[in-house]
Amino acid sequence: MNRPDPERATTPPDGRPLSEQPRWRRDFPIHLPEDEYVSRRDLVRFAVLVSGAFAVGQVWILAQNAVRRMAGRPPIREIAGAGALPPGKSLVFRYPGPQDICFLARQSDGRLVAFSQVCTHLSCAVIPDVPTGKILCPCHDGVFEMRTGRPLAGPPQRPLPRVQIEQRGGRIYATGMEVSTV
């Protein structure tokens, strides 16, 4: 005489017999006694897999940092003459590569700022509005602060990458990129 093991029997949560249960419950029965037990071996296996995934992620981050360091600093490139840009105006240039579009703006107080012209939200071209001190993204009404490049309104969450600039002998040079996440 074979009697079913009461520990292995599945009892639906509402207590009705299996024939009265909805079809999905009959097709996918849950063995509650088995679901409540996790073997030590399974727990150790899960912990080892998760730890291995974290270790691989850390190695990947270290490799990316090493590749970035080996690539070196971006080149120093002349943008324009210091007198070529009056206060309240901006000009477009490419830095560090020919496909990287940036803009240089002279604010009304005479300070120069330069940022990437690619919005950090969905890569639309941003437009500097120097008189208002804002940088506008027309695609999704994003607004950035001209002085720092940080987002003020709209969907962008990250600031615009800043181009480091220097004035040497009456010329303006781009000397590097500063990417900030805050």
Side-chain angles (χ1 to χ4, degrees), residues 30-143:
I30 300 171
H31 298 284
L32 294 177
E34 290 180 8
D35 281 352
E36 293 179 11
Y37 298 114
V38 176
S39 71
R40 188 178 303 157
R41 180 173 297 191
D42 289 340
L43 179 65
V44 169
R45 186 179 302 145
F46 176 76
V48 167
L49 285 174
V50 170
S51 299
F54 279 118
V56 168
Q58 294 297 316
V59 169
W60 176 256
I61 290 170
L62 289 174
Q64 289 293 313
N65 284 338
V67 167
R68 211 173 291 133
R69 279 194 203 115
M70 290 184 344
R73 294 185 48 89
I76 296 174
R77 185 165 298 145
E78 181 180 332
I79 302 173
L85 193 62
K89 298 291 182 185
S90 65
L91 63 86
V92 175
F93 65 100
R94 296 178 185 276
Y95 185 79
Q99 73 279 1
D100 303 315
I101 301 173
C102 302
F103 69 89
L104 173 70
R106 184 180 296 273
Q107 297 174 326
S108 57
D109 61 1
R111 285 188 293 176
L112 291 167
V113 292
F115 293 99
S116 169
Q117 201 177 16
V118 178
C119 180
T120 56
H121 175 230
L122 288 179
S123 301
C124 294
V126 296
I127 302 167
D129 187 5
V130 183
T132 64
K134 295 178 180 168
I135 304 165
L136 309 173
C137 178
C139 291
H140 301 101
D141 295 328
V143 179

Side-chain angles (χ1 to χ4, degrees), residues 8-31:
R8 302 201 54 86
T10 299
T11 305
D14 58 3
R16 293 183 302 173
L18 190 60
S19 60
E20 295 178 14
Q21 294 297 318
R23 182 182 171 107
W24 67 267
R25 187 166 286 156
R26 284 181 276 152
D27 290 343
F28 302 102
I30 300 171
H31 298 284

